[in-house]
Amino acid sequence: MRTGSSSRRGTLVAASLGFVVVLLDVSVVNVALDALLREFRTDVAGLQWVVNAYTLVFAALLLSSGALGDRLGPRRIYLGGLALFTVASVACGAAPGLGMLVAARLLQGVGAALLVPNSLLMLQRAFADPVERSRAIGWWGAIGGIAMAAGPVLGGVLVAHGGWRSIFLINLPIGLLAGALTLRHVAADGPGHARRLDGPGQLAAVLALAALTATLVEAGRLGWTSAWVAGGLLLALVAGGAFVWIEARSAAPMLPLGLLRIRAFAIASLCGVVVNFGYYGLVFVFSLFFQVQQHLSPQQTGLAFLPMTLVLMGASVLAGRLVTRIGARRLMVMGLGLAACGYALLLPVRIEGAYAWLVLPMLLAASGTALCVPTMTNLALSSVEASRAGIASGVLNASRQVGGLLGVAVFGHLVRHTAPQAFLRGMQLSTGIAAVLLLLGCALCWWRLEPLPRGR
């Protein structure tokens, strides 16, 4: 194993590659929706399961996997997560049916949850100097953000030239490279911390999220009066209540409820839910809109998202510089307001309308989202003590994934009928809901968020 700066750079590349495949698989699958629709003769609910099976497990296990890394060592858990993610990706690419694809996506989600927090723990251990560590984490976040933004474009090219299976098989060479770099450059794990795992809380969280997701997805097939739907809602409520009860009494909770009493942190987490609810839902709906309603090819669909991709990259970099100049409160208000305007401008969209009418609304929605994400991260971490920064980051990321999960479930339910007029009504309702929620978040930040010192 190399030492010194070469080893630190190798650790950064290895950790970033793991983050790249995780975020690619959040967004890349959307441009293959029409291909999956035809391949498996499924409906919108089936497509929702392909997207949400991954996000569901990722969100539910994100907090516990960091504790597992503390206990057993981040390098060991990262390599295990990378192996599981890579094997599950191959299983996705080889899936003979929809059920097997969804099962493989669930395994991908487990691998993703193991990868993300432990990649950060590896960086924290490799970069002892706070300034160097901050830069390394900045590069890690920027590379991951570019991967997620570029997902639709890359996915379009892969589907067009290699079929839908290629969007999963591309993870094989990336996973092998990341594993080799990890073995070569990342220091071996030392003695772990005797940190307890919150098993009961984890079980309750999985049950609550799984029941809620299944209810929202299957309500379109079974109807809201179905006994199965009513039972799913009841299970989600009971499991959610049990989760809060367990966390309030646990000696080592996966979600310390005291964090939610810190106003700035609670607002940042809530805004994380709202922002990802709108953005993930928008990408899912417009992927269907471009492919099923406007009959664009996967490659054309990926290129249709290109303006959003470019502005996401640029605005993310800009937000990191602006937050220390104008403050988190103003930047959050600006970002949420811009995103709300973008969604509102999508309301008059028609199926036969020209693509040019979509560019400005999509740019506004993406730029507002990009301004919010690094700002809410800065806000969340600045509002807690340094010793709790790790758990605060985990809670914020979990809340964002839950928001994305709900966005795809709710918006997918609204556009479940693919007949043009029914789909259009569902799409308009989806964008309207997103705009209202973002405006409420904007008002919440303006009235309840106290400005933090700019240098903090």
Side-chain angles (χ1 to χ4, degrees):
M1 180 186 298
R2 295 183 182 181
T3 59
S5 59
S6 175
S7 178
R8 290 195 297 272
R9 286 194 298 270
T11 299
L12 174 58
V13 175
S16 298
L17 284 175
F19 196 33
V20 162
V21 291
V22 167
L23 292 185
L24 267 180
D25 274 58
V26 171
S27 60
V28 73
V29 73
N30 285 286
V31 295
L33 294 179
D34 188 49
L36 294 172
L37 199 68
R38 289 182 281 104
E39 174 86 8
F40 298 121
R41 301 182 185 277
T42 185
D43 54 12
V44 173
L47 298 178
Q48 286 176 273
W49 276 119
V50 174
V51 175
N52 270 346
Y54 177 81
T55 314
L56 167 63
V57 182
F58 184 21
L61 300 183
L62 198 53
L63 293 177
S64 289
S65 65
L68 197 62
D70 284 340
R71 190 180 181 91
L72 301 178
R75 181 179 185 263
R76 187 177 293 115
I77 299 302
Y78 181 84
L79 284 170
L82 193 61
L84 179 59
F85 188 94
T86 304
V87 170
S89 296
V90 174
C92 286
L98 187 66
M100 289 297 295
L101 178 58
V102 170
R105 289 283 284 171
L106 285 168
L107 288 177
Q108 269 194 316
V110 177
L114 295 175
L115 283 171
V116 173
N118 289 292
S119 65
L120 280 173
L121 287 175
M122 291 194 312
L123 291 180
Q124 184 179 29
R125 197 173 57 173
F127 293 87
D129 179 72
V131 175
E132 289 187 353
R133 184 190 306 140
S134 178
R135 288 174 182 167
I137 292 174
W139 276 108
W140 175 87
I143 292 169
I146 290 171
M148 184 172 179
V153 179
L154 175 62
V157 174
L158 289 173
V159 174
H161 298 285
W164 67 266
R165 298 180 188 276
S166 64
I167 64 173
F168 299 112
L169 297 178
I170 191 65
N171 294 330
L172 177 59
I174 301 175
L176 291 174
L177 177 60
L181 289 172
T182 302
L183 291 170
R184 182 176 177 81
H185 294 288
V186 180
D189 294 319
H193 302 291
R195 184 174 172 185
R196 292 174 57 188
L197 299 178
D198 183 11
Q202 182 64 83
L203 178 60
V206 171
L207 278 176
L209 285 175
L212 182 59
T213 303
T215 299
L216 291 172
V217 171
E218 295 301 324
R221 287 174 171 167
L222 304 176
W224 288 100
T225 59
S226 165
W228 286 103
V229 172
L233 283 175
L234 180 61
L235 177 59
L237 287 172
V238 170
F243 174 74
V244 174
W245 186 86
I246 291 167
E247 298 307 285
R249 288 159 180 76
S250 175
M254 59 183 285
L255 172 58
L257 298 181
L259 285 176
L260 300 180
R261 300 189 190 100
I262 302 171
R263 183 186 298 177
F265 180 83
I267 291 175
S269 299
L270 183 59
C271 288
V273 173
V274 170
V275 167
N276 273 37
F277 178 89
Y279 183 75
Y280 279 44
L282 173 74
V283 172
F284 182 81
V285 169
F286 271 84
S287 295
L288 287 174
F289 174 74
F290 289 136
Q291 294 173 81
V292 176
Q293 302 299 330
Q294 293 199 325
H295 307 293
L296 299 186
S297 69
Q299 187 166 346
Q300 289 171 325
T301 300
L303 292 174
F305 283 109
L306 186 59
M308 291 181 69
T309 300
L310 295 176
V311 79
L312 274 168
M313 296 178 189
S316 295
V317 174
L318 181 64
R321 298 178 179 178
L322 287 178
V323 68
T324 56
R325 297 182 182 180
I326 66 175
R329 180 192 178 206
R330 291 179 180 175
L331 204 54
M332 285 296 295
V333 170
M334 184 187 304
L336 290 165
L338 276 175
C341 288
Y343 287 106
L345 288 174
L346 288 170
L347 288 172
V349 169
R350 295 289 179 266
I351 290 175
E352 67 280 1
Y355 171 75
W357 292 104
L358 297 176
V359 174
L360 178 60
M362 292 173 71
L363 288 176
L364 290 174
S367 60
T369 298
L371 289 177
C372 286
V373 171
T375 307
M376 68 178 68
T377 303
N378 179 278
L379 181 63
L381 298 184
S382 298
S383 63
V384 302
E385 300 88 351
S387 61
R388 306 179 82 184
I391 188 65
S393 176
V395 173
L396 177 63
N397 281 306
S399 69
R400 290 181 57 207
Q401 293 305 317
V402 169
L405 177 76
L406 294 177
V408 173
V410 172
F411 287 12
H413 174 75
L414 294 174
V415 298
R416 64 191 182 277
H417 300 302
T418 55
Q421 291 309 310
F423 184 92
L424 185 61
R425 285 193 297 270
M427 186 172 72
Q428 290 170 336
L429 185 55
S430 298
T431 53
I433 290 172
V436 169
L437 289 176
L438 288 162
L439 285 175
L440 289 174
C442 185
L444 179 66
C445 289
W446 180 255
W447 292 109
R448 300 295 294 169
L449 196 57
E450 297 177 0
L452 290 171
R454 294 186 182 179
R456 188 169 175 178

